[in-house]
């Protein structure tokens, strides 16, 4: 979520150095439930590390559907090895490669620049374009904590530029696009 992204960017939320593991298991008769849980975990930024086993740098238990408890097993560890890799930065790069995330944020940076170049467009159109570009970038971002990324982490600076542009465009009371 955007709130998590900004909290991580500003240091309000830091990584507790724990990996959160979630195993999904359901009988074949509940295949739909199992498949939905797997899709939900991926959408929440978890990565598959083995068949039915997912890892995240965030505790996702409270974000999963309440009826999923019979189908999941969770664990927390500070000692994780993925494909023989133990270093947290290398684990993060293995599970959540930076390149596609940075590329998605480059598209957002391009949209911010295009907005600056097209100031004659109606304000609502500009805001909608910025919102769409942010949504695209965020869809590609598993929001891995910055402690697990190279510094400086370019998506954080692009999000900051987006927030500044958004604030500038939506600062008047005439804006009909959602606020906040």
């Amino acid at each position: 979520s955007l709130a998590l992204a900004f909290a991580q960017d500003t240091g309000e939320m830091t990584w507790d150095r724990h990996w959160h593991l979630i195993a999904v298991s359901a009988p074949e008769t509940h295949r739909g439930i199992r498949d939905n849980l797997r899709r939900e975990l991926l959408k929440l930024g978890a990565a598959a590390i083995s068949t039915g086993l997912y890892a995240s740098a965030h505790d996702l238990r409270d974000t999963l559907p309440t009826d999923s408890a019979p189908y999941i097993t969770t664990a927390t560890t500070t000692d994780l090895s993925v494909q023989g890799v133990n270093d947290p930065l290398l684990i993060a790069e293995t599970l959540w490669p930076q390149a596609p995330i940075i590329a998605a944020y480059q598209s957002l940076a391009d949209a911010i620049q295009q907005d600056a170049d097209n100031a004659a467009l109606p304000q609502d159109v500009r805001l909608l374009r910025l919102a769409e570009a942010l949504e695209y970038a965020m869809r590609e971002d598993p929001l891995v904590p910055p402690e697990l990324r190279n510094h400086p982490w370019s998506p954080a600076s692009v999000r900051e530029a987006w927030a500044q542009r958004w604030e500038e465009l939506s600062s008047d009371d005439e804006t009909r696009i959602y606020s906040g």
Side-chain angles (χ1 to χ4, degrees):
S1 83
L2 191 56
L4 173 60
F6 282 120
Q8 288 184 160
D9 292 348
T10 60
E12 292 175 40
M13 178 174 273
T14 58
W15 187 45
D16 64 3
R17 303 197 55 78
H18 288 87
W19 297 104
H20 301 274
L21 305 175
I22 301 172
V24 178
S25 179
E28 192 59 32
T29 56
H30 294 135
R31 175 190 291 198
I33 294 169
R34 179 193 66 212
D35 292 347
N36 284 336
L37 277 170
R38 289 176 175 176
R39 277 191 295 275
E40 185 67 19
L41 285 165
L42 294 173
K43 188 174 99 176
L44 291 169
I49 59 174
S50 184
T51 304
L53 182 60
Y54 295 81
S56 175
H58 302 288
D59 185 354
L60 302 176
R61 289 177 293 183
D62 291 341
T63 59
L64 292 173
T66 55
D67 60 351
S68 64
Y71 307 102
I72 63 171
T73 301
T74 62
T76 304
T77 186
T78 57
D79 181 24
L80 181 64
S81 177
V82 176
Q83 300 170 358
V85 174
N86 297 327
D87 179 87
L89 292 172
L90 294 176
I91 290 172
E93 182 59 24
T94 299
L95 298 178
W96 304 280
Q98 296 180 47
I101 299 165
I102 291 171
Y105 278 96
Q106 183 57 54
S107 294
L108 178 57
D110 293 345
I112 294 166
Q113 183 59 52
Q114 288 171 0
D115 179 70
D117 294 342
N118 294 310
L121 289 174
Q123 180 180 9
D124 287 350
V125 170
R126 293 170 68 192
L127 286 166
L128 285 171
R129 286 181 172 184
L130 287 172
E132 179 183 36
L134 177 67
E135 193 276 330
Y136 170 78
M138 293 292 295
R139 192 178 333 137
E140 298 299 318
D141 192 345
L143 297 176
V144 173
E147 295 87 350
L148 296 171
R149 294 297 190 193
N150 294 328
H151 295 284
W153 177 232
S154 62
S157 60
V158 175
R159 281 192 294 265
E160 179 60 30
W162 179 90
Q164 289 174 357
R165 172 64 68 189
W166 185 268
E167 182 63 31
E168 290 167 8
L169 288 173
S170 60
S171 61
D172 65 38
D173 292 333
E174 299 295 317
T175 304
R176 293 183 300 263
I177 307 295
Y178 67 90
S179 62

